[in-house]
Amino acid sequence: MWRTVDVHLRALRIFPSPQPSFSIRPVRTILSPKAHTLSAPQTQTLRTIVTTSVLSIFKGRETRGSGSNFGLIVVRCVSSVSPVPTFEWNEPVSCSEVGNGDSGSVEEDTKSAIPVRAYFFSTSVDLRSLVEQNKPNFIPPASRMTNYVLLKFGNLSETNGLGNSLSGSNCCYMVVFQYGSIVLFNVREHDVDGYLKIVEKHASGLLPEMKKDEYEVREKPALNTWMEGGLDYIMLQYLNIDGIRTIGSVLGQSIALDYYVRQVDGMVAEFTDINREMETTGKFKMQRKKLFQLVGKANSNLGDVILKLGLFERSDIAWKDAKYAQIWEYLRDEFELTQRFASLDFKLKFVEHNIRFLQEILQNRKSDFLEWLIIALIGAEILLSVYDIVHRSAINL
């Protein structure tokens, strides 16, 4: 379409004019729109400008005495190029004809996307027995961290070393943590249950409801920087074993921390109900055994978060390589691990304060009971003494 108009303009330009009555530049501006298609108002304006410009030439030439010949020549030139296949001005042009520079990059990013799925369905996994039954799939650790194992499935002969792309391959990876988290890389949705059953055989403390979280890693070798963050995804130049370990460690901690936060939220809600009942009735009906159970639950949750999850322990890979330290810090900030632990710690302090208060109430109850028991014993002893005195007096009489 643009080529046909340019031929028309060249045909107009080859005929000299002492004083051209129109400029080519406005027409070129109209013919080079940023959009891919021309709307109805734009096409109508374009047709009007071209027609008006040609007519103005005719009128100018006629006033100088040579308009008729020039007009015939122009008409002939235009008619001579009419057999060239053209588009109608009002005919819409598809994006495939004009071209879209962004579609290729979007399709490329979609093809290079690696799904990452994190699950938490138990509180403990026997890693030793898991490795023994999956030795062909086990990838030896590159650091001293022993709270997780990395298993590879698919084409085991294919290496995913430095610079090799994981997207598009049939290889998938599973990171299993001792505290119960499982992170799957490049695993399709309908294959997830099969991989979870592999771990379920070695898990203990199964939860009634499984926690799930999804993320995405995109590979782009032409990326100017090592990594680039986005909404629910991270873009890397390539994803290798060290990247899988680093990303998996943060996602495993995040999904497990979500479980413990919900546990503490349940305790907070329970203490809130107790306080409201005390506010309305002025009585406290909790048993000592129930209170001790809450104390043990709060302490175990805090210990699991600090010790099992290793929430404040930096990844060994992040210590050795600044690139993976950048990924580790970005993901921790993305999933707000520090802020969520601070919120968890604040809630645990609230629970601890309530536990201490209720313990004092129970202790006071016990003290009151002992005091009344002592009073009753003293009263019984006095009665026995009086009875003995009266009995002896009766015998002497």
Side-chain angles (χ1 to χ4, degrees), residues 11-12 14-15 54-55 57-59 61-62 65-81:
L12 295 175
I14 60 177
F15 300 99
V54 174
L55 291 177
I57 295 175
F58 295 162
K59 291 180 181 180
R61 287 292 183 176
E62 289 176 356
S66 60
S68 59
N69 296 331
F70 182 78
L72 292 175
I73 294 173
V74 171
V75 171
R76 288 175 183 176
C77 292
V78 172
S79 63
S80 64
V81 298

Side-chain angles (χ1 to χ4, degrees), residues 92-328:
V93 181
S94 63
C95 294
S96 60
E97 296 171 351
V98 178
N100 187 359
D102 297 335
S103 61
S105 61
V106 173
E107 292 179 358
E108 182 181 356
D109 292 343
T110 304
K111 293 180 180 179
S112 63
I114 301 171
V116 183
R117 297 180 173 90
Y119 298 90
F120 188 81
F121 66 92
S122 67
T123 57
S124 179
V125 177
D126 188 358
L127 299 181
R128 182 173 299 178
S129 62
L130 177 64
V131 172
E132 289 179 356
Q133 293 190 8
N134 298 273
K135 284 185 178 180
N137 307 100
F138 175 65
I139 298 179
S143 62
R144 56 182 176 83
M145 297 293 290
T146 58
N147 68 333
Y148 71 92
V149 295
L150 178 60
L151 303 177
K152 179 180 179 181
F153 299 90
N155 188 4
L156 301 180
S157 60
E158 181 180 350
T159 60
N160 190 37
L162 183 64
N164 292 338
S165 176
L166 179 61
S167 59
S169 66
N170 62 345
C171 292
C172 56
Y173 294 84
M174 180 169 63
V175 188
V176 184
F177 294 88
Q178 187 177 9
Y179 51 79
S181 292
I182 302 171
V183 184
L184 302 175
F185 288 82
N186 203 28
V187 176
R188 298 177 181 178
E189 182 69 26
H190 60 272
D191 296 331
V192 170
D193 293 337
Y195 291 100
L196 294 180
K197 290 180 180 178
I198 296 175
V199 184
E200 187 177 0
K201 302 176 183 178
H202 312 276
S204 60
L206 296 177
L207 304 179
E209 181 182 0
M210 180 175 61
K211 307 298 179 182
K212 177 183 176 182
D213 194 7
E214 293 185 354
Y215 199 62
E216 189 175 274
V217 179
R218 298 179 183 177
E219 289 182 320
K220 189 175 182 180
L223 193 64
N224 295 328
T225 58
W226 159 242
M227 60 149 287
E228 183 177 311
L231 182 61
D232 292 334
Y233 76 89
I234 182 172
M235 185 176 294
L236 305 175
Q237 291 179 351
Y238 57 87
L239 178 64
N240 57 5
I241 298 297
D242 289 339
I244 291 174
R245 295 180 188 272
T246 304
I247 297 173
S249 64
V250 179
L251 265 66
Q253 291 175 345
S254 176
I255 192 68
L257 184 61
D258 182 65
Y259 164 75
Y260 290 111
V261 168
R262 292 179 182 272
Q263 292 292 310
V264 175
D265 287 342
M267 289 189 289
V268 171
E270 190 168 356
F271 279 110
T272 302
D273 294 338
I274 293 173
N275 292 328
R276 287 177 179 173
E277 184 180 358
M278 292 175 60
E279 181 182 1
T280 55
T281 62
K283 296 180 180 180
F284 174 61
K285 300 179 181 180
M286 178 177 283
Q287 300 295 327
R288 181 180 294 271
K289 181 181 179 180
K290 179 64 175 178
L291 181 61
F292 285 165
Q293 288 177 346
L294 291 174
V295 172
K297 188 176 182 180
N299 293 334
S300 63
N301 285 334
L302 182 60
D304 289 343
V305 171
I306 297 176
L307 299 178
K308 286 187 177 181
L309 269 64
L311 201 60
F312 298 102
E313 296 180 4
R314 192 181 185 90
S315 173
D316 286 355
I317 301 174
W319 277 113
K320 297 177 182 178
D321 197 328
K323 295 189 301 183
Y324 300 104
Q326 185 180 3
I327 297 176
W328 186 77

